[in-house]
Amino acid sequence: MKAIRLPCADGGFRVHRPSAAGLAPFARGPARSRVFYAAAHVAAAPAAGPGASAPAVDWEATLGIRHRLWEWGLGVAEAMDTAQRGAGLGWPDAAELIRRSAREARAVGGRIVCGAGTDHLPPGPAHSLAAITAAYEEQLAHVEDCGASAVLMASRLLASVARGPEDYREVYGALLRQSSRPVVLHWLGPVFDPALAGYWGHDEPDEAAAVLVKIVEEHPRKVDGVKVSLLDAELEKELRRRLPPGVRCYTGDDLHYPELIAGDGERAGDALLGIFGPIAPIAARAALALDREDPGGFRALLDPTVALSRHLFAPPTPLYKTGVVLLAWLAGYQEHFTMLAGLESARPLPHLARAYELADRLGLFPDPEGAADRMRRLLADRGVGA
């Protein structure tokens, strides 16, 4: 296959020879030993014409991505920040996304959880705790009316008005008392969203973790698990140890996930990860290795993916979505490298080139030649010959 000339961050170039083999086939099916959710992105179609102000959701491609995840045996975490929630995807489209995906999940028996938050309220500190609670209630009701379980997402508005831990206990307590299904509580750290600093009423992580654990303990059987997105492996291990028996700890740590999922011999982790979208075929194989009680095989499969994940989630970390969508386009899962809010331009070209190279080396593209052709097209469109 013809080599491709990729731009480097230092202004130079390197030569990459695309893989000869495409994505290898494997036995598929949901894992028994862990719960793996991929936080799926949305595929956007370009603006319909000169009068259109922004790209729209490509519903066919978006749902196709979810069906592919279910076919590989993974669950889908819907309408999370990976789907540009609060960064291009407003609540009306998020609500429609939840409705459509939940319906498709029922049709194929796929596992799904959906994000519920407060992002339909206008920004600003003028909201009361009652208004924030009501906003959560509206989205929680929509998720459950669609037949799905909710992920109670961290709220920027709550972080801006809460005076301390008791305000968090008040809001989350009200939600958990009325939820009809066990929910997942999401602790999204400031590395992903600086507006969430001090969540749970404390800047110090150990004190914040104590508040979260207390909320879980006060509402037995209402919390399926806690999703931790702090990029702090030791803190996550300690939180996992403190959670009540039967409450899952879903790692959202896209930098240390193999060790956190594998566990320490006493406690192991489940996962709800943005990186599981791009590496879904490998993650699915790794989950089945755990079912075979083959931790060495699990690590052999998943450890090599960490370099790609660390690259995609490099600072500024919230821009990781650009790399996720790039790889879906290169793989042929969507027709356009277009994102809501124009985020396809958020990362420099050398960053995108390195993401392509790392994914190709992992064998993630069903058609490596097609992926290379798309990468050449992107380089040419941005003024770089390949």
Side-chain angles (χ1 to χ4, degrees):
M1 194 181 300
K2 181 183 176 183
I4 182 170
R5 189 166 161 263
L6 299 174
C8 302
D10 63 5
F13 290 87
R14 65 186 178 279
V15 174
H16 172 70
R17 188 165 296 280
S19 301
L23 189 62
F26 64 99
R28 305 179 184 190
R32 300 184 305 276
S33 57
R34 300 288 195 282
V35 176
F36 280 9
Y37 288 110
H41 73 281
V42 294
S53 59
V57 176
D58 182 335
W59 291 111
E60 181 177 358
T62 294
L63 294 174
I65 289 164
R66 283 129 182 87
H67 276 283
R68 196 169 289 107
L69 293 170
W70 289 319
E71 289 169 4
W72 281 325
L74 301 180
V76 169
E78 188 56 275
M80 304 293 290
D81 58 305
T82 310
Q84 293 182 247
R85 186 77 179 267
L89 187 75
W91 172 241
D93 279 338
E96 179 67 7
L97 180 62
I98 290 166
R99 186 185 67 79
R100 294 187 187 217
S101 292
R103 181 183 62 201
E104 297 299 309
R106 289 195 302 274
V108 300
R111 187 187 290 266
I112 190 169
V113 291
C114 303
T118 64
D119 52 323
H120 59 294
L121 291 179
H127 301 287
S128 66
L129 285 183
I132 291 170
T133 303
Y136 264 126
E137 289 171 342
E138 179 181 340
Q139 295 198 14
L140 172 61
H142 177 74
V143 170
E144 294 189 336
D145 287 348
C146 290
S149 298
V151 179
L152 294 183
M153 301 171 67
S155 167
R156 295 174 183 172
L157 292 176
L158 180 55
S160 71
V161 304
R163 296 160 295 181
E166 290 307 313
D167 286 348
Y168 288 90
R169 291 177 64 187
E170 177 182 336
V171 171
Y172 279 89
L175 298 171
L176 291 171
R177 282 190 292 272
Q178 65 187 274
S179 62
S180 63
R181 301 165 179 252
V183 307
V184 176
L185 303 181
H186 189 186
W187 187 1
L188 187 68
V191 67
F192 285 96
D193 188 343
L196 297 175
Y199 214 74
W200 309 114
H202 289 286
D203 291 320
E204 205 286 314
D206 283 341
E207 294 181 357
V211 176
L212 174 56
V213 171
K214 183 68 173 175
I215 291 171
V216 174
E217 291 174 338
E218 290 174 339
H219 301 279
R221 298 180 298 280
K222 284 299 189 85
V223 179
D224 166 68
V226 174
K227 194 236 177 179
V228 190
S229 301
L230 302 178
L231 305 187
D232 185 331
E234 295 309 311
L235 176 61
E236 181 172 327
K237 291 175 186 176
E238 175 60 18
L239 175 63
R240 184 170 67 192
R241 186 189 65 78
R242 296 165 68 178
L243 288 172
V247 176
R248 300 180 185 274
C249 188
Y250 292 99
T251 186
D253 189 329
D254 298 272
L255 306 185
H256 309 97
Y257 51 94
E259 65 172 289
L260 289 167
I261 296 168
D264 56 12
E266 294 184 6
R267 296 274 184 132
D270 298 276
L272 194 165
L273 287 162
I275 192 57
F276 272 7
I279 67 165
I282 298 175
R285 288 185 180 93
L288 297 178
L290 290 177
D291 285 354
R292 299 192 301 269
E293 298 185 354
D294 179 12
F298 168 81
R299 295 298 295 265
L301 284 162
L302 217 53
D303 282 358
T305 68
V306 172
L308 171 62
S309 190
R310 291 188 175 218
H311 178 73
L312 295 183
F313 285 81
T317 302
L319 299 183
Y320 75 89
K321 306 171 188 69
T322 300
V324 170
V325 175
L326 169 79
L327 297 183
W329 172 63
L330 293 175
Y333 302 147
Q334 59 188 76
E335 289 299 316
H336 308 282
F337 180 38
T338 302
M339 297 178 67
L340 306 177
L343 284 180
E344 68 273 10
S345 300
R347 290 288 203 183
L349 194 56
H351 177 91
L352 303 181
R354 180 63 173 159
Y356 156 72
E357 183 180 16
L358 290 169
D360 185 54
R361 288 178 178 175
L362 290 169
L364 287 171
F365 298 129
D367 177 9
E369 187 169 1
D373 286 344
R374 288 185 178 90
M375 191 67 215
R376 290 189 184 94
R377 191 192 322 160
L378 176 64
L379 293 171
D381 288 345
R382 300 198 180 182
V384 177

